[in-house]
Each structure stands twice: as structure tokens, then as C-alpha cells.
């Protein structure tokens, strides 16, 4: 089984930037689709970015397109999420999740196999 651990969350001012990391273990990361998702209190989970194992990235939401960038380093079993121009509405728990099918999931639950515990991002002055 794949283990997924996120880190890098914290408090950032509006307009600021933050980079989240996701470290995986258990099996080669290249077998998996892997992506970032987020959920704010009282809100539905939404997709951020997801990378299929065969290549290609899904941008789930127009509100984040152009501001967030995902990269994966399979050799290091690590995935990153670079967040720029952060807004208060970006505040949420951010999750890293992977799927052995090699394909990214779809809303509302995205049906990814393995989820991390999440890392909290708070955007506030």
C-alpha cells in the first residue's frame, strides 16, 4: 500500500505564496496517479490539480488555474504544490491523494485510493 504524507501548510498573507510537499512510500510513485485536493469547513471537497501516471495534469478549478502549479518527482517519491497569489478563499485543508489505477478521479469524492491526513493553509491578513 502507498503511504501519503503532506506538509508545508501554515499562515500566509493574501497575495503571498506557499509550497506544499507530499512524500509517498510503499510502492513506486510512478505507478500512481497523484494529486492535490482541498476542503474548507462546511464546504465540499474540491480538486486542485492531479497528475495521471502516464502524463498529463488536470486542472479541476478555474479559480486556481494559473496560480497553482503541481510537479512530481517520482524518483524521490515526492509531489509539490506551488501556490501563488493566494486569496482568503484558498484557506482550506489541503490533501494529497494517489490512485493505483494511474488515473485521476472526478468530483464529488474523486475516488482516489490513498489519502494523506492533510495540511492546513490559512490565508489571512
Amino acid at each position: 500500500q502507498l503511504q501519503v504524507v503532506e506538509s508545508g501548510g501554515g499562515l500566509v498573507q493574501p497575495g503571498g505564496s506557499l509550497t506544499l510537499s507530499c512524500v509517498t512510500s510503499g510502492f513506486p510513485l510512478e505507478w500512481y496517479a497523484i494529486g492535490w485536493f482541498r476542503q474548507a469547513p462546511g464546504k465540499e471537497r474540491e480538486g486542485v490539480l492531479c497528475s495521471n501516471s502516464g502524463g498529463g495534469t488536470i486542472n479541476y478549478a478555474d479559480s486556481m488555474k494559473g496560480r497553482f502549479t503541481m510537479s512530481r518527482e517520482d524518483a524521490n517519491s515526492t509531489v509539490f504544490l506551488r501556490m501563488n497569489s493566494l486569496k482568503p478563499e484558498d484557506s482550506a485543508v489541503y490533501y494529497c491523494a494517489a490512485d493505483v489505477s494511474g488515473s485521476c478521479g472526478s468530483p464529488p469524492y474523486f475516488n482516489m485510493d490513498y489519502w494523506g491526513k492533510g495540511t492546513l493553509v490559512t490565508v489571512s491578513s
Side-chain angles (χ1 to χ4, degrees):
Q1 300 185 67
L2 190 73
Q3 286 75 51
V4 181
V5 180
E6 312 96 329
S7 63
L11 176 64
V12 62
Q13 294 183 343
S17 298
L18 200 64
T19 299
L20 306 182
S21 299
C22 172
V23 178
T24 68
S25 61
F27 291 98
L29 180 58
E30 56 262 38
W31 295 4
Y32 293 82
I34 190 161
W36 292 94
F37 308 83
R38 70 184 188 183
Q39 188 167 21
K43 304 291 185 180
E44 294 182 344
R45 181 179 295 167
E46 61 179 333
V48 180
L49 289 162
C50 190
S51 174
N52 295 308
S53 65
T57 301
I58 297 173
N59 292 283
Y60 286 108
D62 290 339
S63 64
M64 290 171 276
K65 187 177 182 179
R67 298 190 298 119
F68 292 8
T69 302
M70 177 183 172
S71 62
R72 60 188 292 172
E73 298 181 358
D74 289 352
N76 297 318
S77 300
T78 303
V79 178
F80 300 96
L81 179 67
R82 176 65 175 176
M83 303 182 291
N84 296 318
S85 302
L86 284 163
K87 305 174 181 179
E89 50 263 44
D90 294 319
S91 297
V93 176
Y94 283 73
Y95 298 91
C96 183
D99 196 282
V100 72
S101 74
S103 298
C104 296
S106 300
Y109 302 112
F110 301 96
N111 297 310
M112 305 293 280
D113 293 328
Y114 304 106
W115 293 80
K117 294 180 179 179
T119 185
L120 177 64
V121 174
T122 303
V123 184
S124 180
S125 298

